[in-house]
Amino acid sequence: MTMFPQLLDTAVEKNFQEAVEIYAGLGVDVAKVVETLEEIPVSMHCWQGDDVGGFEVSDQGLSGGIMATGDYPGKATSPDELRADAEKAFSLIPGLLRFNLHAIYLESGGKYVDRDVVAPEHFANWIGWAKERNVGLDFNPTFFSHPKAECGTLSSADPAIREFWIEHAKRCRTIAETFSKELDDTVVVNYWVPDGMKDLPADRWEPRKRLLSSYDAIFADELGGDVKEALEGKLFGLGSEEYVVGSNELYLGYAMSRKKLLCMDMGHYHPTETIHDKLSAAMMYLPELLLHVSRPIRWDSDHVVIMNDDLLSLAREVVRGGVLDRVYFATDFFDASINRVGAWTIGIRSFKKALLFALLEPVEMLRRFESENRGAERLALQEEAKTLPYAAVWNYFCLKSDVPVGPAWLNSMRDYENTVLSKR
Ligand code: RNT
Ligand code: ZN
C-alpha cells in the first residue's frame, strides 16, 4: 500500500519563513492572511456522505432533478455513521467548519415522520453532537425525494400540495431557530425547490406567481434566534431542462425586495457561465449572499470541487471585494463513485486553498498598476503569483491546524476505509 510521507515540521516551518519573506516583498502580510483564513467558516454539506439519501424511515429515492451516480462501497447508512464519517473529514480539513443538514437527515426513532410534521426533537442528536464538537449547524428544507414533489412543490397548481410544502418550510424554520438558540449561533437556511418542466411550458407565469406567494406565506412570521434565509435559483435540472420556476432572476428580485439572501450555486447557470462576475453586481443591492461551492461538468452541477479557474476567480472576487464577512460559503457536491470522506476532503481542502491563494495575491500592487494603466505589469504579476510559494503557506496552515500536511491525509483516508467503511 502506498504510504504518503508526512513532511517534517521543521521543513514546513522553514519553507513557510521563506514564503513570508517573498510575499512581504510584494506587500503581502502572510501572518495576517493565515489569521484571516483560519476564521473563514465553510459549511460542509452532510449529503456527500450518503449520496443525498437521508434517514427518513420510508426510503423515497433521490428525485427532483438531481442525481448521484456511482456505487462506491461504504456510504453512511445511519446518522451515527454519517457523524463518524464527517468527523473523519473534519480531522483532515484545516480551519473552521460548519455542518449543513437537510430535513431528510432527521432521526425519528424508527417511526415515519412526514415532512409536514418534522420538528426540532428529530434533530436533538445533531444538536447534541454540534455542541460537543463545537461546530455550527446550517439547515435546508427538503423539497425533493417525496411523492408530493412529483409535479411541483411551492409552485404547484394544487393548493393542497402547496400547503403541504409551506408547512414543511415553516417547520424547518422552527428547527433552524432552535439550532440558533441552542448553539447561540447564526444559522443559514437555504431554500431550493426542484419545480420545473422538461419541455416547453404553456405557462411560465402562474407557477412563478404561486412560488412567490408560497414564499411570502412561509416568511410571514418573524423568527427568533439569528437565522439567515437564502433562495437558490437554477437554470435547468434533469427533467426540468426547459423551465425551472425558481430561476436566478426570480430569486434575485425576491431577495432584494424581501430582504433575503440570494444563493448562487456555481453549477446552476449556463454551462459556460461562471458566477464570479455576479458578486460585485448582486452585492450592490444585497447585503449578504450564500454561495454553493460546486463544480459543474456538462449537464451535472455537482462534481467534487477542485482548484480550477472558476474556484480561484470566485475566491478572488470575495477577497478583492472585501466581502468575506458578507458571504456565507457552503459546499454542494455529491459523487457516489469515490470514497466519500475523500470527496469531502478534496473539495473543501481545495476551496480553502483557493481562498488562501486569493488572500496571498498582491492586490495592492495590481490595483496600482491598473490605475497607472500598466496592463502588462498587472497581467504579469497575476501570472507570477501562480508560481509564488503559496503551497508553503498552505502546508504551514495545515500543520498549525493539526491536520495532515500534503497528500499524507490520504493515508488516514485509506486507513478509515479499511477499518470502517469497507466493513459496512
Ligand atoms: C440542487 C441544489 C441544492 C441541492 C441540495 C441537496 O440543484 O444545488 O442545493 O444540491 O439542496
Ligand atoms: Zn446547490
Side-chain angles (χ1 to χ4, degrees), residues 47 52 66 102 144 190 192 232 234 265 268 292 332 334:
W47 51 94
V52 212
I66 53 177
H102 240 284
F144 51 85
N190 183 51
W192 172 71
E232 180 182 15
K234 190 168 181 171
D265 183 307
H268 283 193
H292 268 190
D332 181 16
F334 29 98

Side-chain angles (χ1 to χ4, degrees), residues 92-146:
L92 304 174
I93 302 168
L96 259 189
L97 288 171
R98 305 174 57 78
F99 201 61
N100 198 6
L101 285 168
H102 240 284
I104 49 173
Y105 289 77
L106 80 173
E107 289 171 84
S108 54
K111 256 190 10 243
Y112 180 63
V113 168
D114 207 352
R115 307 273 170 94
D116 60 341
V117 287
V118 284
E121 73 211 48
H122 304 125
F123 292 87
N125 290 344
W126 285 111
I127 294 174
W129 178 73
K131 280 185 182 163
E132 214 175 280
R133 297 266 335 167
N134 196 22
V135 63
L137 292 178
D138 295 309
F139 201 59
N140 303 258
T142 312
F143 296 99
F144 51 85
S145 304
H146 189 282

